[in-house]
Amino acid sequence: MNFYSEHAKVWVSVDVIIFGFDEGQLKILIGRRQMDPGRGQWSLYGGFVGTSESIDQAAERTLQELTGMQRLYMRQLGAFGAVDRDPGERVISIAYYALINVADYDEKLRAQYGLEWVDVNHVPQLYSDHNEMVAMALSKMRQKIKSEPISFRLLPPLFTLTQLQHLYEAVLGEEVDKRNFRKRIKDMDFIEKTELIDKTSSKRGAALFRFNRKAYKEDPNFKL
């Protein structure tokens, strides 16, 4: 039987906002659109959901194709379904945001897909409603970073407190009081000081820290 034949068909796609932290800036990956409509316009990376996959699977496939990495931090952002959002067809997009350590990202893949890292404060006009997706993802990150240690997804395994502070400032879009910040960090058992020293920033060097996953137990009282 032909079910739902009286209803018009709607396309479903996924779009992924990939955040990275590099040179003291919070950045996202964008590229030139390779298809019509909108060919050549700056765009997020995404694709249509296959008939044999869920939307989460489609997002995971898209992210793996783009980064070559698995088990990354990725969360669903929401649905975008304005009637006129895509001039080609009636398309509903489910947006996701993901966090990666830029140093782990294969530059060959970035070049292969023609992507660029751009500062979240200087994102150009993107295709359709992609700027709205980016703004919503950034707002969600600003909420999350205060209650969940997502910042460690953007940093190398070993980091200095200055790097951590700069990351928080980049995400929040404002300066953080250094003294209060470090005091709060030292009260967190899951941020562990190592015996290693980073001497790239100064001759004296700075202590390197790491995130202790075992010490972090989804503490509902955690708040920075």
Side-chain angles (χ1 to χ4, degrees), residues 80-91 127-129:
F80 293 77
V83 174
D84 59 349
R85 66 173 301 274
D86 193 308
E89 290 286 352
R90 179 77 170 93
V91 180
Y127 177 75
S128 184
D129 50 9

Side-chain angles (χ1 to χ4, degrees), residues 12-19 44-47 49 55-56 58-60 62-63 73-81 85 91-98 126-138 140:
V12 180
S13 67
V14 294
D15 285 293
V16 184
I17 304 103
I18 300 178
F19 288 101
L44 296 174
Y45 191 84
V49 179
I55 55 175
D56 285 350
E60 289 168 358
T62 299
L63 186 60
Y73 180 96
M74 183 171 65
R75 296 292 184 270
Q76 187 179 125
L77 183 62
F80 293 77
R85 66 173 301 274
V91 180
I92 294 174
S93 180
I94 313 300
Y96 291 76
Y97 69 98
L126 304 177
Y127 177 75
S128 184
D129 50 9
H130 290 186
N131 287 88
E132 183 182 346
M133 293 179 182
V134 173
M136 187 176 293
L138 183 56
K140 181 67 69 174

Side-chain angles (χ1 to χ4, degrees), residues 121-183:
N121 296 309
H122 299 95
V123 178
Q125 182 60 49
L126 304 177
Y127 177 75
S128 184
D129 50 9
H130 290 186
N131 287 88
E132 183 182 346
M133 293 179 182
V134 173
M136 187 176 293
L138 183 56
S139 176
K140 181 67 69 174
M141 275 190 64
R142 286 173 173 166
Q143 296 172 20
K144 281 277 189 180
I145 202 169
K146 295 180 179 180
S147 60
E148 184 180 331
I150 63 172
S151 56
F152 305 105
R153 306 284 185 167
L154 296 162
L155 291 170
L158 295 174
F159 53 87
T160 66
L161 290 185
T162 297
Q163 286 177 305
L164 184 59
Q165 180 181 334
H166 287 169
L167 171 58
Y168 272 86
E169 290 174 335
V171 173
L172 297 174
E174 60 186 24
E175 289 188 8
V176 174
D177 182 81
K178 180 177 179 179
R179 185 174 180 180
N180 289 336
F181 179 81
R182 297 199 171 201
K183 182 179 179 181

Side-chain angles (χ1 to χ4, degrees), residues 18-223:
I18 300 178
F19 288 101
F21 181 66
D22 187 39
E23 298 178 346
Q25 297 177 334
L26 183 66
K27 300 181 178 181
I28 61 168
L29 270 180
I30 62 173
R32 296 287 186 180
R33 189 169 166 85
Q34 301 297 313
M35 61 178 2
D36 293 318
R39 185 183 297 270
Q41 293 182 27
W42 287 111
S43 172
L44 296 174
Y45 191 84
F48 289 101
V49 179
T51 56
S52 61
E53 62 184 357
S54 68
I55 55 175
D56 285 350
Q57 289 171 337
E60 289 168 358
R61 169 180 55 79
T62 299
L63 186 60
Q64 185 176 356
E65 287 175 357
L66 188 63
T67 66
M69 295 184 279
Q70 295 179 314
R71 295 184 294 277
L72 293 171
Y73 180 96
M74 183 171 65
R75 296 292 184 270
Q76 187 179 125
L77 183 62
F80 293 77
V83 174
D84 59 349
R85 66 173 301 274
D86 193 308
E89 290 286 352
R90 179 77 170 93
V91 180
I92 294 174
S93 180
I94 313 300
Y96 291 76
Y97 69 98
L99 312 180
I100 70 172
N101 178 9
V102 174
D104 292 337
Y105 182 42
D106 188 346
E107 276 292 299
K108 293 180 181 179
L109 278 176
R110 186 190 65 77
Q112 176 185 333
Y113 286 99
L115 300 173
E116 298 291 340
W117 285 107
V118 297
D119 186 341
V120 293
N121 296 309
H122 299 95
V123 178
Q125 182 60 49
L126 304 177
Y127 177 75
S128 184
D129 50 9
H130 290 186
N131 287 88
E132 183 182 346
M133 293 179 182
V134 173
M136 187 176 293
L138 183 56
S139 176
K140 181 67 69 174
M141 275 190 64
R142 286 173 173 166
Q143 296 172 20
K144 281 277 189 180
I145 202 169
K146 295 180 179 180
S147 60
E148 184 180 331
I150 63 172
S151 56
F152 305 105
R153 306 284 185 167
L154 296 162
L155 291 170
L158 295 174
F159 53 87
T160 66
L161 290 185
T162 297
Q163 286 177 305
L164 184 59
Q165 180 181 334
H166 287 169
L167 171 58
Y168 272 86
E169 290 174 335
V171 173
L172 297 174
E174 60 186 24
E175 289 188 8
V176 174
D177 182 81
K178 180 177 179 179
R179 185 174 180 180
N180 289 336
F181 179 81
R182 297 199 171 201
K183 182 179 179 181
R184 293 175 183 177
I185 291 298
K186 289 180 180 179
D187 289 338
M188 298 176 186
D189 294 334
F190 51 86
I191 298 180
E192 188 174 76
K193 185 177 181 180
T194 72
E195 297 180 354
L196 302 174
I197 299 294
D198 172 38
K199 294 186 177 181
T200 59
S201 57
S202 66
K203 292 183 178 180
R204 182 181 178 184
L208 286 167
F209 291 74
R210 63 187 171 200
F211 174 54
N212 187 330
R213 297 178 184 276
K214 293 182 179 180
Y216 178 69
K217 298 179 180 180
E218 299 292 336
D219 184 357
N221 296 317
F222 165 68
K223 187 175 182 180

